[in-house]
Amino acid sequence: IEFDLSLPPYRRHVLSNGVEVYAIDLGTVDAMMVSWIFNAGNSFETKKGVAAAVNHLLKNGTSTRSAFDINEHFEYYGAWLNRASHHETADITLHCLNKHVGELLPVVAELITDSIFPQEELDIYKKNAQQRLQVSLKKSDFVAGRLIDAYIYGPAHPYGVYMEGDDYQRLQRDNLVAWYEQHYRRGACRILV
């Protein structure tokens, strides 16, 4: 089988603070996607589940905006802000119309530099995560995936670790704030545009 892959050219910029920005110009499209990629995956955890919890809760409150206000802002502009946590990295991805990026980027910056992780939002996250886990544990592909990773990498390796129901209860706000400070607020990231 012949395989030919052509990737569009990219431009690399380095901001004054050292953040690398990679831009791909796809022509005259009215929509854009911006991703902030942090070295904040579970491979760097000292406490189980903190990386995913912080990434998820970034959108759940700052010192000036509630979770509701943040969600309303993105919805008003027809934008979507996704967060994902992986083994090595965690990312925030904004999908929006080009014309609204000026209204949305300051709010993303606020999430990265001023998230407060309200206790009530953490409590909701723990409860919901436990419920999602209970549902997922009834699916054979989910269970098999966890066991295969643990078998291949070993249960002590970051790729072989998986969450149990009680692990969510052990999540503490102080640990989340410390992780956020180290890996988001003061951590380095790469930006893809």
Side-chain angles (χ1 to χ4, degrees), residues 9 21 30 39 85 95 121 137-138 144 171 177:
V21 178
D30 291 336
N39 293 326
S85 184
H95 302 266
E121 294 290 340
L137 286 172
K138 295 177 182 176
L171 290 171
V177 171

Side-chain angles (χ1 to χ4, degrees), residues 105-144:
L105 287 180
V107 178
V108 175
E110 187 176 335
L111 300 179
I112 294 170
T113 61
D114 191 36
S115 285
I116 59 170
F117 306 96
Q119 184 63 49
E120 58 274 11
E121 294 290 340
L122 175 57
D123 293 340
I124 292 167
Y125 170 79
K126 289 186 208 183
K127 184 178 178 181
N128 290 344
Q130 287 177 312
Q131 290 172 347
R132 279 191 306 273
L133 178 62
Q134 287 176 349
V135 170
S136 295
L137 286 172
K138 295 177 182 176
K139 299 176 182 174
S140 58
D141 60 333
F142 178 81
V143 174

Side-chain angles (χ1 to χ4, degrees), residues 50 119 122 126 169-177:
V50 170
Q119 184 63 49
L122 175 57
K126 289 186 208 183
Q169 284 307 320
R170 287 190 273 280
L171 290 171
Q172 299 294 318
R173 183 180 178 276
D174 292 345
N175 299 128
L176 273 62
V177 171

Side-chain angles (χ1 to χ4, degrees), residues 82-98:
N82 187 38
R83 288 116 35 244
S85 184
H86 313 285
H87 291 305
E88 301 293 333
T89 60
D91 56 75
I92 303 168
T93 302
L94 172 65
H95 302 266
C96 67
L97 294 175
N98 296 346

